[in-house]
């Protein structure tokens, strides 16, 4: 369905030119609390870029959870 990158990874960490093999939410679902999204809210990533992005988002989610539990973030 995505013809903007001709099947290539849309994130392109470190100049990545691999084929996209994974559909990814541009904004993580833990942040938006929305599971059903439109095609515009999705992107195709290669496995490596998806792993890097997901790892970063996981760290951010843990930081936010910790701040909230300590009363530092509402």
């Amino acid at each position: 369905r995505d013809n903007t990158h001709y099947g290539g990874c849309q994130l392109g960490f470190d100049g990545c030119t691999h084929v996209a093999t994974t559909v990814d939410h541009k904004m993580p679902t833990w942040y938006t609390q929305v599971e059903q999204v439109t095609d515009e809210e999705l992107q195709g990533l290669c496995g490596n870029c998806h792993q890097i992005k997901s790892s970063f988002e996981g760290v951010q989610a843990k930081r936010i959870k910790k701040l909230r539990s300590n009363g530092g973030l509402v």
Side-chain angles (χ1 to χ4, degrees):
R1 295 184 305 197
D2 173 41
N3 61 7
T4 59
H5 288 79
Y6 304 100
C9 181
Q10 292 181 336
L11 214 47
F13 283 125
D14 295 327
C16 171
T17 58
H18 293 103
V19 172
T21 56
T22 305
V23 177
D24 176 69
H25 292 87
K26 291 180 181 178
M27 294 294 292
T29 55
W30 61 262
Y31 181 76
T32 63
Q33 302 295 307
V34 175
E35 290 288 332
Q36 295 288 336
V37 296
T38 65
D39 286 352
E40 289 77 29
E41 297 168 289
L42 301 172
Q43 60 189 351
L45 303 180
C46 72
N48 187 54
C49 287
H50 184 258
Q51 192 271 331
I52 292 169
K53 180 179 178 280
S54 295
S55 178
F56 174 79
E57 290 170 346
V59 169
Q60 298 310 309
K62 287 179 184 177
R63 286 180 178 169
I64 289 171
K65 184 177 180 179
K66 185 176 179 180
L67 283 171
R68 286 183 177 154
S69 69
N70 292 333
L73 190 62
V74 178

